Short mmCIF file of all heavy atoms in Angstrom, two decimals:
data_model
loop_
_atom_site.label_atom_id
_atom_site.label_comp_id
_atom_site.label_asym_id
_atom_site.label_seq_id
_atom_site.Cartn_x
_atom_site.Cartn_y
_atom_site.Cartn_z
N MET A 4 0.06 8.76 -0.02
CA MET A 4 0.60 10.03 -0.49
C MET A 4 -0.41 11.13 -0.21
O MET A 4 -1.58 10.87 0.00
CB MET A 4 0.90 9.96 -1.98
CG MET A 4 1.98 8.97 -2.31
SD MET A 4 2.36 9.06 -4.05
CE MET A 4 3.72 7.93 -4.13
N ASP A 5 0.04 12.38 -0.26
CA ASP A 5 -0.82 13.53 -0.02
C ASP A 5 -1.40 13.99 -1.35
O ASP A 5 -0.73 14.65 -2.14
CB ASP A 5 -0.03 14.65 0.65
CG ASP A 5 -0.87 15.87 0.94
OD1 ASP A 5 -2.08 15.87 0.64
OD2 ASP A 5 -0.31 16.84 1.49
N ILE A 6 -2.65 13.67 -1.60
CA ILE A 6 -3.29 14.00 -2.87
C ILE A 6 -3.46 15.50 -3.06
O ILE A 6 -3.65 15.99 -4.17
CB ILE A 6 -4.64 13.26 -2.99
CG1 ILE A 6 -5.11 13.21 -4.44
CG2 ILE A 6 -5.70 13.88 -2.10
CD1 ILE A 6 -4.31 12.33 -5.31
N LEU A 7 -3.37 16.27 -1.98
CA LEU A 7 -3.55 17.72 -2.07
C LEU A 7 -2.26 18.49 -2.27
O LEU A 7 -2.28 19.70 -2.46
CB LEU A 7 -4.27 18.23 -0.81
CG LEU A 7 -5.65 17.64 -0.56
CD1 LEU A 7 -6.23 18.18 0.73
CD2 LEU A 7 -6.58 17.89 -1.73
N SER A 8 -1.12 17.81 -2.24
CA SER A 8 0.14 18.51 -2.45
C SER A 8 0.30 18.88 -3.93
O SER A 8 -0.42 18.38 -4.79
CB SER A 8 1.31 17.65 -1.98
OG SER A 8 1.51 16.56 -2.87
N ASN A 9 1.26 19.76 -4.23
CA ASN A 9 1.48 20.16 -5.62
C ASN A 9 1.92 19.00 -6.49
O ASN A 9 1.61 18.94 -7.67
CB ASN A 9 2.52 21.28 -5.69
CG ASN A 9 1.97 22.58 -5.13
OD1 ASN A 9 0.77 22.79 -5.13
ND2 ASN A 9 2.85 23.42 -4.64
N ILE A 10 2.69 18.09 -5.94
CA ILE A 10 3.13 16.90 -6.66
C ILE A 10 2.73 15.69 -5.80
O ILE A 10 3.55 15.09 -5.12
CB ILE A 10 4.65 16.91 -6.90
CG1 ILE A 10 5.06 18.20 -7.60
CG2 ILE A 10 5.07 15.70 -7.73
CD1 ILE A 10 6.55 18.38 -7.74
N PRO A 11 1.45 15.33 -5.81
CA PRO A 11 0.96 14.32 -4.89
C PRO A 11 1.47 12.92 -5.15
O PRO A 11 1.68 12.15 -4.22
CB PRO A 11 -0.55 14.38 -5.07
CG PRO A 11 -0.72 14.87 -6.46
CD PRO A 11 0.41 15.82 -6.70
N LEU A 12 1.70 12.59 -6.39
CA LEU A 12 2.06 11.22 -6.74
C LEU A 12 3.30 11.22 -7.61
O LEU A 12 3.28 10.86 -8.77
CB LEU A 12 0.88 10.55 -7.45
CG LEU A 12 -0.41 10.57 -6.65
CD1 LEU A 12 -1.59 10.15 -7.51
CD2 LEU A 12 -0.32 9.69 -5.42
N ASP A 13 4.40 11.66 -7.04
CA ASP A 13 5.64 11.84 -7.78
C ASP A 13 6.52 10.60 -7.64
O ASP A 13 7.52 10.60 -6.94
CB ASP A 13 6.37 13.08 -7.25
CG ASP A 13 7.56 13.44 -8.12
OD1 ASP A 13 7.58 13.05 -9.30
OD2 ASP A 13 8.47 14.11 -7.60
N ASN A 14 6.13 9.52 -8.29
CA ASN A 14 6.91 8.28 -8.29
C ASN A 14 6.71 7.63 -9.65
O ASN A 14 5.76 6.88 -9.86
CB ASN A 14 6.45 7.35 -7.17
CG ASN A 14 7.30 6.10 -7.08
OD1 ASN A 14 8.04 5.77 -8.00
ND2 ASN A 14 7.18 5.41 -5.98
N PRO A 15 7.60 7.90 -10.61
CA PRO A 15 7.40 7.42 -11.98
C PRO A 15 7.41 5.90 -12.10
O PRO A 15 6.96 5.36 -13.11
CB PRO A 15 8.56 8.04 -12.75
CG PRO A 15 9.57 8.38 -11.72
CD PRO A 15 8.83 8.66 -10.46
N ASP A 16 7.90 5.18 -11.09
CA ASP A 16 7.96 3.73 -11.16
C ASP A 16 6.69 3.06 -10.65
O ASP A 16 6.54 1.85 -10.78
CB ASP A 16 9.14 3.21 -10.34
CG ASP A 16 10.46 3.72 -10.90
OD1 ASP A 16 10.57 3.86 -12.13
OD2 ASP A 16 11.37 3.99 -10.10
N PHE A 17 5.76 3.83 -10.07
CA PHE A 17 4.56 3.24 -9.49
C PHE A 17 3.35 3.48 -10.38
O PHE A 17 3.03 4.61 -10.73
CB PHE A 17 4.29 3.83 -8.10
CG PHE A 17 3.03 3.30 -7.48
CD1 PHE A 17 3.01 2.04 -6.91
CD2 PHE A 17 1.87 4.05 -7.49
CE1 PHE A 17 1.83 1.53 -6.36
CE2 PHE A 17 0.70 3.56 -6.93
CZ PHE A 17 0.68 2.29 -6.37
N LYS A 18 2.66 2.41 -10.75
CA LYS A 18 1.39 2.47 -11.47
C LYS A 18 0.43 1.51 -10.78
O LYS A 18 0.78 0.37 -10.50
CB LYS A 18 1.55 2.08 -12.95
CG LYS A 18 2.49 2.98 -13.73
CD LYS A 18 1.90 4.35 -13.92
CE LYS A 18 2.85 5.21 -14.75
NZ LYS A 18 2.44 6.57 -14.84
N ALA A 19 -0.77 1.97 -10.52
CA ALA A 19 -1.75 1.18 -9.76
C ALA A 19 -2.72 0.46 -10.68
O ALA A 19 -3.12 0.98 -11.72
CB ALA A 19 -2.52 2.08 -8.82
N ASP A 20 -3.12 -0.74 -10.28
CA ASP A 20 -4.19 -1.46 -10.96
C ASP A 20 -5.54 -1.03 -10.42
O ASP A 20 -6.50 -0.86 -11.16
CB ASP A 20 -4.04 -2.98 -10.75
CG ASP A 20 -2.81 -3.53 -11.42
OD1 ASP A 20 -2.57 -3.20 -12.60
OD2 ASP A 20 -2.09 -4.29 -10.77
N ILE A 21 -5.61 -0.87 -9.09
CA ILE A 21 -6.84 -0.47 -8.41
C ILE A 21 -6.51 0.63 -7.42
O ILE A 21 -5.55 0.52 -6.66
CB ILE A 21 -7.46 -1.65 -7.65
CG1 ILE A 21 -7.80 -2.79 -8.62
CG2 ILE A 21 -8.71 -1.21 -6.88
CD1 ILE A 21 -8.20 -4.07 -7.93
N ILE A 22 -7.30 1.68 -7.42
CA ILE A 22 -7.15 2.76 -6.44
C ILE A 22 -8.48 2.87 -5.71
O ILE A 22 -9.53 3.04 -6.34
CB ILE A 22 -6.81 4.11 -7.12
CG1 ILE A 22 -5.50 4.00 -7.89
CG2 ILE A 22 -6.77 5.23 -6.08
CD1 ILE A 22 -5.18 5.19 -8.77
N PHE A 23 -8.44 2.74 -4.41
CA PHE A 23 -9.65 2.86 -3.59
C PHE A 23 -9.43 3.96 -2.57
O PHE A 23 -8.42 3.98 -1.88
CB PHE A 23 -9.95 1.55 -2.86
CG PHE A 23 -11.23 1.61 -2.07
CD1 PHE A 23 -12.43 1.27 -2.66
CD2 PHE A 23 -11.23 2.05 -0.76
CE1 PHE A 23 -13.61 1.35 -1.95
CE2 PHE A 23 -12.40 2.14 -0.04
CZ PHE A 23 -13.60 1.79 -0.63
N THR A 24 -10.37 4.88 -2.49
CA THR A 24 -10.25 5.95 -1.52
C THR A 24 -11.59 6.23 -0.86
O THR A 24 -12.63 6.18 -1.49
CB THR A 24 -9.69 7.25 -2.17
OG1 THR A 24 -9.52 8.23 -1.17
CG2 THR A 24 -10.59 7.76 -3.27
N ASP A 25 -11.52 6.46 0.42
CA ASP A 25 -12.69 6.86 1.21
C ASP A 25 -12.38 8.29 1.65
O ASP A 25 -11.60 8.50 2.56
CB ASP A 25 -12.85 5.92 2.40
CG ASP A 25 -14.12 6.16 3.19
OD1 ASP A 25 -14.90 7.05 2.81
OD2 ASP A 25 -14.33 5.47 4.19
N VAL A 26 -12.98 9.25 0.96
CA VAL A 26 -12.61 10.65 1.16
C VAL A 26 -13.24 11.23 2.42
O VAL A 26 -14.27 10.74 2.89
CB VAL A 26 -12.96 11.50 -0.07
CG1 VAL A 26 -12.20 11.03 -1.29
CG2 VAL A 26 -14.44 11.48 -0.36
N PRO A 27 -12.65 12.28 2.98
CA PRO A 27 -13.18 12.91 4.20
C PRO A 27 -14.61 13.43 4.00
O PRO A 27 -14.96 13.90 2.94
CB PRO A 27 -12.24 14.10 4.44
CG PRO A 27 -11.00 13.76 3.70
CD PRO A 27 -11.42 12.93 2.53
N TYR A 28 -15.39 13.30 5.05
CA TYR A 28 -16.76 13.79 5.02
C TYR A 28 -17.25 14.00 6.45
O TYR A 28 -16.65 13.49 7.39
CB TYR A 28 -17.70 12.80 4.31
CG TYR A 28 -17.89 11.52 5.09
CD1 TYR A 28 -18.99 11.34 5.91
CD2 TYR A 28 -16.95 10.51 5.03
CE1 TYR A 28 -19.17 10.17 6.64
CE2 TYR A 28 -17.11 9.35 5.75
CZ TYR A 28 -18.22 9.17 6.55
OH TYR A 28 -18.38 8.03 7.27
N GLY A 29 -18.33 14.72 6.60
CA GLY A 29 -18.96 14.86 7.90
C GLY A 29 -18.35 15.96 8.75
O GLY A 29 -17.56 16.78 8.30
N ASN A 30 -18.73 15.96 10.02
CA ASN A 30 -18.32 17.01 10.96
C ASN A 30 -16.98 16.73 11.64
O ASN A 30 -16.35 17.64 12.16
CB ASN A 30 -19.39 17.20 12.03
CG ASN A 30 -20.70 17.68 11.44
OD1 ASN A 30 -20.70 18.42 10.46
ND2 ASN A 30 -21.81 17.23 11.99
N LEU A 31 -16.54 15.48 11.65
CA LEU A 31 -15.32 15.14 12.39
C LEU A 31 -14.04 15.26 11.57
O LEU A 31 -12.97 15.44 12.11
CB LEU A 31 -15.44 13.72 12.95
CG LEU A 31 -16.59 13.51 13.94
CD1 LEU A 31 -16.63 12.05 14.37
CD2 LEU A 31 -16.44 14.41 15.15
N VAL A 32 -14.15 15.13 10.25
CA VAL A 32 -12.97 15.22 9.38
C VAL A 32 -13.31 16.07 8.17
O VAL A 32 -14.46 16.22 7.80
CB VAL A 32 -12.50 13.83 8.90
CG1 VAL A 32 -12.00 12.99 10.05
CG2 VAL A 32 -13.61 13.11 8.17
#
Side-chain angles (χ1 to χ4, degrees):
M4 296 185 175
D5 181 1
I6 199 70
L7 300 178
S8 71
N9 290 334
I10 306 173
L12 304 168
D13 188 23
N14 184 344
D16 298 325
F17 178 78
K18 299 290 182 187
D20 294 313
I21 300 171
I22 300 171
F23 183 89
T24 184
D25 187 1
V26 298
Y28 68 97
N30 297 327
L31 299 177
V32 294

